Amino acid sequence: MMTNSMVTPDKNSGTLNQLIYIDTIKVLLTILVVLHHTFIAYSSSDGWYYNEPTSVKGAKMVMTMFVSVNQSFFMGFFFLLAAYFTGSSYAKKGFAKFVKDRLVRLGIPILFYSFILTPFMCYLVYYFGKGNHIGIREYLSGYNSWVDLGVTWFIAALLVFTLIYVILKRFFKIAFNKPVMVPGMSAILWFSVGLGIITFLVRIIFPVGWVLKPVGFQLGHFPQYIALFVVGLLAAKNNWFDQLSYKVGRQLKRSAVICLLFFPVFLVIAIKLNTPISYFSGGFHWQALIYALWEQWIGISIITALLIKGKKSLNKSSRLSRRLSRSSFAVYIFHPLVIVLITLSLKNWQIDSAIKILFAVPIIVMFSFLIGLLLVLIPGTKKII
């Protein structure tokens, strides 16, 4: 997720009318973030503050597929969009003002989430989810996870990437002055293949699920994040978003659909060959290689196809879309609290999570954005969220 200033079309990155669709894409990606974590809460036995996994195998399979496909592109897409507006913002503000602005806009949410939101959510789960009825003071007296970034790992990573960029610009005179032609279909797919191989090699050491504590970085996903941040910088400098053709968009849409249909093959491999699921997550296994290639192929295809589709069909602005876009960063920070509150409130409803999630999802999405819309109205929040 990005702050409003990092994803709102900037005068130096193209005309406002040309880039309105990016605000709409930002809202769609924010909704996917909320759905992603809700699905994890109701499909897995871990990976979230409070988990209540379904016992229906078919439902768990569908949720796992959604989480896997989502993971292949949505956070990388955020890094791409953030980078796209980083160069113009830096050029406009200069080194000192830009760094100060990023430290405030990114640093404060990280501290707030780690020292306030995380302990509060953990207490709610401890009290209502696990039935340990003690006061919050007593709970906090024994609490020892004060550095826990949770979902703000993304904000921390973005801060690191941005600071590296401005340091290189300032002290090493790095500039993207040489024009680079917009990549075509072939170049995009070869890029995804190369990225898949690099991802496989990184996951030999850092498989999916391995977390760099306390910042929460899953290094197995970082090849894509780093690559797309760099691509975002190049895209802005060379105006790639405007040059991507509708033909390429249609081709990559078909590419993504074919990859999606391939997903059940992983289940067949796991069942027929009695393959441990961990083999797909990393290590020196051929299953990890094909999964990494699939993940980057479908992820890059979805990102590019959605950009092109957005330019064609989503380039319209309304008061509601602007307000939703403006509140997206607040939604990103506070949606975990909403998910915890709603899932805990439904805890005693004696029905399987596969049904429960159908009621929980619209409520969680609605209240996440409602809180976001209210928070941005508070005086002084504009400088942060």
Side-chain angles (χ1 to χ4, degrees), residues 28 31 51 59 68-70 94 116 189 201 226 249-251 259 280 290 303 305 311 323 328 333 375:
L28 293 175
I31 293 173
N51 293 82
S68 299
V69 174
N70 212 25
I116 297 178
L189 292 182
L201 293 174
I226 295 169
R250 290 192 298 271
Q251 291 172 331
C259 284
F280 295 96
I290 62 170
I303 289 171
K311 182 174 63 172
R323 292 186 66 186
S328 291
I333 296 170
L375 285 172

Side-chain angles (χ1 to χ4, degrees), residues 4 20 23-24 26-27 316-328 373:
N4 188 56
I20 289 172
D23 276 345
T24 305
K26 180 177 69 169
V27 174
K316 300 175 183 178
S317 180
S318 67
R319 183 180 179 185
L320 177 60
S321 66
R322 290 193 297 270
R323 292 186 66 186
L324 292 177
S325 176
R326 176 66 186 87
S327 67
S328 291
L373 290 168

Side-chain angles (χ1 to χ4, degrees), residues 169-220:
K169 287 279 288 185
R170 177 67 181 268
F171 298 104
F172 295 93
K173 307 299 181 183
I174 300 295
F176 298 93
N177 292 327
K178 187 176 180 180
V180 181
M181 290 183 60
V182 62
M185 171 75 172
S186 178
I188 292 171
L189 292 182
W190 277 113
F191 170 78
S192 68
V193 170
L195 189 55
I197 294 172
I198 294 171
T199 299
F200 162 69
L201 293 174
V202 170
R203 289 178 182 175
I204 293 175
I205 303 173
F206 304 110
V208 174
W210 188 94
V211 178
L212 178 64
K213 297 182 178 180
V215 290
F217 294 171
Q218 287 201 43
L219 297 184

Side-chain angles (χ1 to χ4, degrees), residues 32 35 65 79 88 95-96 101 121 153 166 180 275-276 293 336 367:
L32 287 179
L35 295 180
M65 183 175 177
F79 281 107
S88 60
F95 180 81
D101 175 77
M121 288 188 293
W153 70 264
V166 297
V180 181
T275 302
L293 289 169
F367 275 97

Side-chain angles (χ1 to χ4, degrees), residues 148-160:
D148 187 347
L149 273 60
V151 300
T152 59
W153 70 264
F154 164 75
I155 304 174
L158 183 57
L159 180 59
V160 171

